[in-house]
Structure formats: C-alpha cells, structure tokens
Amino acid sequence: MFIEILNKIKEYNRIIIHRHMRPDGDCMGSQMGLKYLLKNSFPDKEIYAVGDGVPSYLQELGEVDNIPDEYYNDALVIVVDTSVDKRIYDDRWKTGKYIIKIDHHDDSPDFGNLCYVDETCPACSAIIVRMIKAWGEEVKICPKAAYALYFGIVTDTGRFRYRGLTSEVLSNAGYLLDTNIDVDSLYNKLYVDEVATLKLQGYVLNNFKTTPNGVAYIYFTKKIIKKFGVTKDEAANLVNSISTIKGHPVWVAFVDQGYSKVKGLKKGELDPSKEIRVRLRSRGVAINGVASKYRGGGHLQAAGATIYTKKEMALLLEELDILVKEYKKEFPDAL
C-alpha cells in the first residue's frame, strides 16, 4: 500500500494535508513532517497544510496555509492522525479529487479512497517514517521534516514511555536523529515551563479530587484559568500532573472553554459558552469507549471528549469509576 500512496502523490501536482481539530504534538508533527518531506522531494509540486489555531508549544513546527476553495478541485487530500471524519478540521477535505487517510487510533473507521491504519503504532509520525523508509530513494528527508516527525513520536509516546513502544519505533526515531536534528532544543521546549504554569501545577496537586474506586480528576474553571494567567491548552496539558497516584489508574482534566454566548440557539442545540473539554488518560484501563459516548474518542489509554453540563461530568466520572472497579477486580495487583 505504501507504493500505492507514493504513486498517488506522484500523480497529483497539488497536495493538501489535513489533520484533526485542536492539534497535539503528533498531529502537527505528522502533518508538517509530511509537508516538508514532500516539498523537499517534489519541489515542483504545490504542498499545503490546513488547520485551525496552533498552540504556542507547537508553533515552531510551522504555519498552516490559507488556500481558496478551488484549490481542492484537482487536489490529492491526505488526512493524518484523525480517527473519525467529523474531527477533521475544515470540511473542504471532502471536495478533494482523491483522499488518503493515514492514522493509528484504535477507533478508526475507513473514509476516503485509500486508508492505511495501524492501531498498534503509538504515533502517526512513526507511520510516516515507516513510509519514508519503504519509499527509499524516491523521497529525500530534510532536517525540518525530521524534527517535526521526531517531535510527534516523542510526544505521543510520552518520551518513549507508553505502551505500544517497539523496536521499530525506536529505530525510526534513530533514523530521524541521523539527520542531526537539534534534540536539546526540542526537549528544552517540552520540559521548560512558564512560572504561571508551574504555579497552576501546584494548584492541581493541592486540589485534585478522586472517585471512590480510583479516578483522579481536576476541573479548570474559567475563573481558575484567568487567575493563573494561562491558556486553556496550557491548563489541559497538566492532566499528567496527577498520573502517578497509586491506586488511581485513570486521571482526567476538565477544561472550561470560555466561549462567548451565542444568540438564537434552536431547541436542542448545544450552547458553545458551556463547552467543557475533557482529557482522559489511564494506566491499563481502556477509556476510549467512555470518551466516545461524550462526543469524543481516541486511544485505549489516551482519549478526549466534550461535555456541556455538570450532570454530564458526573455521569462520565461515574462510568470511569465503574471501569476502574472492574479493572482492579481483574488485576488486583495493578497500581
């Protein structure tokens, strides 16, 4: 299939790369890494990356492109790191002449004309490297592509700690390192925090709550986010601050989005001003099924969701608590 994907890339003069809304490191890494790779390998082609606002910690990977609607008429569209089509940013991807999907999520149905999904791979960026190796001398990797792809692998594997890490993934990371990318700079950006973020982390450690069976959670209200002077993304990224609590294999961050009220909502329409985004993480417990019930999804042990009421928050926590209870019965020695 990799050769089939490459042949499609060769066939089209214009290629537009899409990804999911609210990007993370692997999402941006795989998108921008593929863009730089194709621009370097096929300089006569038009290569674009489309997306929404990029969090500050990802902006060094590159800027997204603003392109007119007519560009899609004769374009190849490649969608990376996106499980379901409703999560793709910008619906214009549907108007491309040919659509390729490349993904690694557990709940990833096919869409488009050609799909490559490996749910066992811990990062979509690692799949892109797998393709690069299969393509051989047909493509030419450059430092910018290697940096973006390495960034994606590092972030989605939790700095090479999460389940799913294999010798192939480490080999692919080593392949990228051979391009002499600046690893020190990359890790400094990931590990050095602003004072405001560290103070908020202190708040998390002093104020997180737990459910009876072992779900740890923190709720970042609009008031808390404003008080500490951080962004919503910076708050959400602190979800792993409560990842190491013994006996609590599931942890969650709820983040108020603080959108303005919308007038004229029809009956049954969700009010954006009440949107609360949810980041769910776990050790061993499969949580993406619960996330899918609340307008989300993702990996077995790393997922996202969206809720709109405190009642939904309570229900979501209750479902997770039941999962933890069952998990502990099956694995009584689990931490």
Side-chain angles (χ1 to χ4, degrees):
M1 183 177 287
F2 291 166
I3 300 304
E4 189 176 354
I5 291 173
L6 180 60
N7 287 339
K8 283 296 177 183
I9 289 171
K10 290 180 179 179
E11 181 181 337
Y12 286 83
N13 291 322
R14 181 180 295 133
I15 300 168
I16 306 171
I17 307 171
H18 279 247
R19 40 88 168 162
H20 65 70
M21 298 177 283
R22 303 186 292 274
D24 56 16
D26 186 35
C27 179
M28 281 293 293
S30 56
Q31 182 189 36
M32 301 308 295
L34 183 59
K35 175 184 175 179
Y36 298 140
L37 171 80
L38 296 182
K39 285 178 71 71
N40 191 57
S41 303
F42 306 101
D44 294 333
K45 294 183 183 293
E46 298 176 43
I47 314 293
Y48 302 101
V50 176
D52 51 351
V54 180
S56 57
Y57 81 104
L58 297 177
Q59 289 175 0
E60 63 164 332
L61 298 183
E63 297 181 356
V64 293
D65 301 299
N66 294 313
I67 57 176
D69 295 348
E70 57 266 25
Y71 274 28
Y72 286 83
N73 295 339
D74 296 308
L76 169 65
V77 172
I78 303 177
V79 181
V80 298
D81 195 42
T82 309
S83 56
V84 292
D85 55 7
K86 66 182 180 181
R87 292 207 67 214
I88 303 172
Y89 177 81
D90 194 333
D91 283 342
R92 292 182 298 172
W93 68 272
K94 300 175 184 176
T95 64
K97 191 169 184 180
Y98 195 90
I99 299 164
I100 295 174
K101 171 183 177 175
I102 303 170
D103 188 41
H104 72 125
H105 290 88
D106 301 286
D107 54 352
S108 193
D110 289 349
F111 57 76
N113 304 104
L114 181 61
C115 299
Y116 180 85
V117 178
D118 180 1
E119 67 277 359
T120 68
C121 191
C124 189
S125 295
I127 292 177
I128 302 298
V129 180
R130 183 187 294 168
M131 289 185 174
I132 293 171
K133 287 183 172 182
W135 292 339
E137 294 182 359
E138 297 270 20
V139 296
K140 300 176 182 178
I141 196 164
C142 60
K144 286 179 70 175
Y147 185 93
L149 292 168
Y150 189 83
F151 193 102
I153 293 173
V154 167
T155 52
D156 239 30
T157 61
R159 287 60 159 175
F160 304 106
R161 293 184 296 115
Y162 296 156
R163 181 175 295 179
L165 185 65
T166 63
S167 59
E168 185 209 11
V169 175
L170 291 172
S171 175
N172 288 347
Y175 170 83
L176 298 172
L177 288 174
D178 286 341
T179 64
N180 296 316
I181 58 180
D182 187 350
V183 179
D184 285 344
S185 174
L186 185 150
Y187 278 105
N188 284 340
K189 289 180 174 65
L190 290 175
Y191 284 107
V192 176
D193 293 313
E194 297 286 349
V195 171
T197 305
L198 288 174
K199 288 184 176 181
L200 181 58
Q201 186 175 28
Y203 171 86
V204 172
L205 295 175
N206 281 294
N207 291 276
F208 71 87
K209 297 180 180 180
T210 62
T211 63
N213 290 295
V215 178
Y217 65 97
I218 185 73
Y219 177 28
F220 295 111
T221 64
K222 288 177 281 189
K223 182 178 180 180
I224 291 297
I225 291 171
K226 182 178 180 180
K227 175 182 177 181
F228 284 89
V230 299
T231 66
K232 291 171 286 189
D233 287 323
E234 287 169 339
N237 287 338
L238 290 175
V239 60
N240 284 325
S241 297
I242 49 177
S243 65
T244 58
I245 306 170
K246 188 175 181 179
H248 293 73
V250 173
W251 54 101
V252 186
F254 298 95
V255 186
D256 267 343
Q257 293 306 293
Y259 296 132
S260 300
K261 291 185 178 181
V262 177
K263 295 182 179 179
L265 287 174
K266 298 178 181 178
K267 185 177 181 180
E269 283 188 324
L270 298 170
D271 185 350
S273 68
K274 296 180 179 179
E275 182 176 313
I276 301 171
R277 291 186 189 154
V278 191
R279 287 199 176 182
L280 304 94
R281 302 290 186 268
S282 79
R283 293 189 302 275
V285 184
I287 54 175
N288 61 335
V290 172
S292 68
K293 296 179 182 179
Y294 295 89
R295 309 169 193 87
H299 300 290
L300 290 174
Q301 297 169 20
T306 304
I307 60 175
Y308 289 85
T309 65
K310 295 288 184 64
K311 181 179 179 180
E312 283 192 311
M313 183 185 294
L315 290 172
L316 186 150
L317 288 171
E318 183 179 343
E319 290 193 49
L320 291 175
D321 194 56
I322 292 171
L323 283 183
V324 172
K325 183 178 181 179
E326 294 172 349
Y327 180 77
K328 287 182 175 180
K329 285 181 180 179
E330 186 174 357
F331 303 100
D333 295 327
L335 296 176

